[in-house]
Amino acid sequence: MKMFYKQKFTWFLAVLLIWSSSAFARDVESQDEEFIVEFYSIPSPDEILTYIHNSEIQFTPRLLNDVRKSDSYNTFRERLLAYGFYMANLAYSISFEQNNTGLQYFNTVDEMGRQLNIFPPEVEELGHRLMRNMNQMDSLNLIYDELYLLVIANLHDTDRFGEYALISAGGFVESLYLALNSDGSKIHDDGFRMRVWDQKLIINQLVIMFSRHLTASVKNSMMNDMQGLIDAFNEFTIETESTKVAGTSNGVITIGGGRATGSTVNSIRRIHEEVNKLREKWVN
């Protein structure tokens, strides 16, 4: 089954919601105060999956995180990371038109979202729409997009940027894991190498969000967990040719904006191994 780019309505929200997710922190503007805007843009799990592999890969159910484990994540940090895992599993299932599997993950995401109090009231209607549209894949994809947008918008509106950061980290790592380990994945192809710069930008954004919006203990825990993956990306030496890659100073990520042309200090295998190691630690 081909993983394909979906031309979603979120592309037209370039200012407020670039790549299906955003967070803002504002200070009040006055004559005596600067106007400060922080902008974070982390792609949603389905976007991460598709921009890594917009060619043939196969649905590989053994990679999915078991929905029965959802109750085994006890701390708030674990549950937010797990929410990111399950959002990625939902996106992966829907992308391959696995209706029954997708419904299981939707139910898990729905239940966890209510427990975490990150759902606005509009999500209730999405559940009803999902049941009515189980055989219409275009509708299911749109429902997933709406669900993700509603969750992120709710976290933004309630200034819960730390929770957004943890959910995004879980979804990012799980999406990389699914993309790199699916049957038919060709991690040594140039196509994956061309995406390393994009992934490094995402990691940079996550690190900024950890620093600004997590408590010291949670930030240190996340950085310790992710250090091996960060090092693997940093050691992948690339040169970029870009027509539109915005720096991290204003928080913008342009997916596909950079092109890796240089040689590697270490192999793609190191990145692959670090993704698998971190995913195993978080999931288990």
Side-chain angles (χ1 to χ4, degrees):
M1 178 62 62
K2 185 174 184 178
M3 295 288 290
F4 56 89
Y5 280 98
K6 293 175 288 183
Q7 300 297 322
K8 299 182 294 188
F9 65 92
T10 55
W11 286 29
F12 299 102
L13 305 181
V15 175
L16 295 179
L17 293 165
I18 295 179
W19 297 101
S20 299
S21 57
S22 67
F24 293 88
R26 295 186 177 88
D27 287 345
V28 177
E29 184 179 19
S30 71
Q31 292 181 346
D32 300 321
E33 294 178 315
E34 269 186 56
F35 180 65
I36 300 172
V37 176
E38 291 184 70
F39 182 78
Y40 306 109
S41 177
I42 306 298
S44 62
D46 65 321
E47 290 161 343
I48 295 171
L49 283 163
T50 54
Y51 84 70
I52 293 175
H53 277 288
N54 58 348
S55 57
E56 298 289 340
I57 62 172
Q58 301 170 27
F59 181 67
T60 312
R62 69 176 182 275
L63 300 176
L64 295 169
N65 191 23
D66 193 337
V67 295
R68 294 171 296 183
K69 294 174 61 175
S70 62
D71 291 334
S72 67
Y73 302 106
N74 298 316
T75 69
F76 200 52
R77 170 183 177 269
E78 290 174 350
R79 293 189 67 74
L80 288 167
L81 288 172
Y83 190 82
F85 308 154
Y86 287 122
M87 284 291 288
N89 293 157
L90 173 59
Y92 184 71
S93 301
I94 289 176
S95 295
F96 286 98
E97 302 183 8
Q98 301 295 314
N99 295 25
N100 292 333
T101 302
L103 180 59
Q104 293 178 42
Y105 284 99
F106 182 89
N107 289 337
T108 299
V109 164
D110 179 73
E111 181 179 356
M112 291 186 71
R114 296 179 193 285
Q115 292 173 354
L116 292 167
N117 193 30
I118 59 176
F119 274 177
E122 295 88 342
V123 171
E124 187 74 37
E125 174 58 22
L126 287 182
H128 298 314
R129 285 173 54 196
L130 179 63
M131 296 304 297
R132 294 195 301 266
N133 291 278
M134 281 303 294
N135 295 318
Q136 301 178 40
M137 293 314 302
D138 288 343
S139 296
L140 295 184
N141 284 319
L142 288 174
I143 288 172
Y144 167 83
D145 295 336
E146 288 185 50
L147 173 64
Y148 194 82
L149 280 169
L150 285 170
V151 169
I152 299 309
N154 189 44
L155 293 175
H156 158 246
D157 291 343
T158 53
D159 295 331
R160 296 162 69 177
F161 301 141
E163 292 167 54
Y164 169 43
L166 292 175
I167 291 171
S168 297
F172 173 66
V173 170
E174 182 74 356
S175 298
L176 287 183
Y177 173 80
L178 293 170
L180 295 176
N181 291 285
S182 289
D183 293 340
S185 177
K186 300 178 176 62
I187 65 169
H188 294 286
D189 282 1
D190 288 341
F192 178 74
R193 294 177 183 276
M194 301 257 302
R195 297 299 181 181
V196 171
W197 176 248
D198 298 328
Q199 296 158 38
K200 288 181 70 175
L201 284 176
I202 294 171
I203 288 179
N204 290 344
Q205 286 295 285
L206 289 173
V207 170
I208 291 171
M209 293 172 74
F210 295 161
S211 177
R212 293 178 180 175
H213 300 294
L214 296 180
T215 64
S217 60
V218 176
K219 179 192 73 173
N220 291 337
S221 177
M222 291 298 296
M223 291 302 298
N224 288 337
D225 285 354
M226 295 187 66
Q227 195 59 56
L229 183 60
I230 292 170
D231 291 343
F233 276 109
N234 287 340
E235 291 172 11
F236 189 99
T237 302
I238 59 173
E239 298 173 358
T240 60
E241 295 177 0
S242 173
T243 58
K244 189 179 179 183
V245 175
T248 56
S249 61
N250 65 359
V252 177
I253 296 175
T254 304
I255 298 302
R259 183 164 69 88
T261 59
S263 60
T264 62
V265 172
N266 66 316
S267 67
I268 290 293
R269 183 67 61 185
R270 166 91 191 276
I271 294 176
H272 190 188
E273 289 174 351
E274 291 296 339
V275 166
N276 289 356
K277 186 187 304 182
L278 180 56
R279 192 267 186 180
E280 181 179 4
K281 179 174 184 178
W282 282 355
V283 165
N284 295 328

